[in-house]
Amino acid sequence: QSLVLLGEVYRQNEDGQPALEPIERAADLGVVHTLDRARKLQAKVLEKLRSEMEGAETMREQKAIMASICCKLAKFYDEAKDDERTIKLYNDALRADEVNEGAMMLLARVHLRRNDLDACGAQCDTLLRVNAEHEEALMTKADILFLQEQYDLATEKYEALLMSKPNNYAALAQLIVLLRRAGKLEEVQPFLSLAEHSNPRAESHAG
């Protein structure tokens, strides 16, 4: 709700020029400018709260708002394939809210898309220290091993993930590929059974 109100207040640019590039569509320019103004305003709010030594709960709430604004803004640049600004904004979100799992995972996705596997893996490791059971981070770590052709380690990661998340069909599909590659396709049967038994609707499930 705070972002909606900020968007209404800062709908127009004071000098009539787009605040940020390279977003091209007029509608996106308006939203991006609104979010950028909101980000700048929120930075001032945080600075004021720090100077007034506000309580931890108030600071935590306002930092979460800042992280949310940065993430929303980053998504526009991500769609525009402006990786430099996307990465900066996700890092800004994490400076505001160090344990923001959404920002961590979104940043890891950008690194993965850029084929920066080391940065992606490091970001996933950071996230897993916050939440050891984060499903997408665990899946991404396995995917990185697959891309690095570390097939045995990737197989172990997919199997471990499927033991706790048996209906992760993307992981199951990757495991099938690896076991077929290794000539051990029969070893996938326990995981198929586990998926079926953990989901009564498995036979009609899209996976």
Side-chain angles (χ1 to χ4, degrees), residues 12-81:
Q12 299 298 322
N13 193 341
E14 290 177 353
D15 59 7
Q17 297 298 318
L20 297 168
E21 295 292 342
I23 306 298
E24 296 178 353
R25 290 178 297 178
D28 285 351
L29 279 169
V31 173
V32 167
H33 175 60
T34 298
L35 289 171
D36 192 50
R37 291 294 301 271
R39 179 180 62 83
K40 292 174 181 176
L41 176 61
Q42 190 63 18
K44 292 179 180 179
V45 170
L46 288 171
E47 184 178 351
K48 185 173 186 292
L49 291 176
R50 290 190 188 98
S51 67
E52 294 176 355
M53 303 295 289
E54 282 289 340
E57 184 61 29
T58 299
M59 284 297 297
R60 189 159 42 246
E61 291 174 356
Q62 294 303 315
K63 284 181 176 181
I65 291 172
M66 180 60 145
S68 177
I69 294 169
C70 289
C71 286
K72 288 177 182 293
L73 191 52
K75 287 177 182 177
F76 281 92
Y77 283 107
D78 195 13
E79 291 174 2
K81 300 295 185 291

Side-chain angles (χ1 to χ4, degrees), residues 18-171:
L20 297 168
E21 295 292 342
I23 306 298
E24 296 178 353
R25 290 178 297 178
D28 285 351
L29 279 169
V31 173
V32 167
H33 175 60
T34 298
L35 289 171
D36 192 50
R37 291 294 301 271
R39 179 180 62 83
K40 292 174 181 176
L41 176 61
Q42 190 63 18
K44 292 179 180 179
V45 170
L46 288 171
E47 184 178 351
K48 185 173 186 292
L49 291 176
R50 290 190 188 98
S51 67
E52 294 176 355
M53 303 295 289
E54 282 289 340
E57 184 61 29
T58 299
M59 284 297 297
R60 189 159 42 246
E61 291 174 356
Q62 294 303 315
K63 284 181 176 181
I65 291 172
M66 180 60 145
S68 177
I69 294 169
C70 289
C71 286
K72 288 177 182 293
L73 191 52
K75 287 177 182 177
F76 281 92
Y77 283 107
D78 195 13
E79 291 174 2
K81 300 295 185 291
D82 187 337
D83 292 340
E84 183 177 348
R85 280 175 169 165
T86 301
I87 291 170
K88 180 185 182 303
L89 284 160
Y90 283 136
N91 280 321
D92 286 348
L94 291 170
R95 273 190 286 274
D97 184 2
E98 296 178 355
V99 295
N100 188 302
E101 295 182 21
M104 289 185 209
M105 195 64 242
L106 289 165
L107 181 55
R109 288 182 197 167
V110 176
H111 289 314
L112 184 61
R113 190 190 72 226
R114 288 163 53 89
N115 201 35
D116 190 344
L117 302 184
D118 289 340
C120 180
Q123 191 61 60
C124 287
D125 287 339
T126 301
L127 173 50
L128 290 168
R129 284 194 289 273
V130 174
N131 178 1
E133 297 182 359
H134 194 284
E135 187 172 356
E136 186 176 354
L138 291 168
M139 177 73 182
T140 301
K141 287 286 289 183
D143 288 342
I144 290 171
L145 292 168
F146 183 90
L147 292 169
Q148 292 173 332
E149 299 184 358
Q150 299 185 55
Y151 297 128
D152 290 343
L153 289 174
T155 299
E156 292 175 10
K157 291 287 187 181
Y158 288 126
E159 288 178 344
L161 176 56
L162 287 165
M163 290 302 295
S164 61
K165 304 289 184 181
N167 295 125
N168 187 320
Y169 295 110

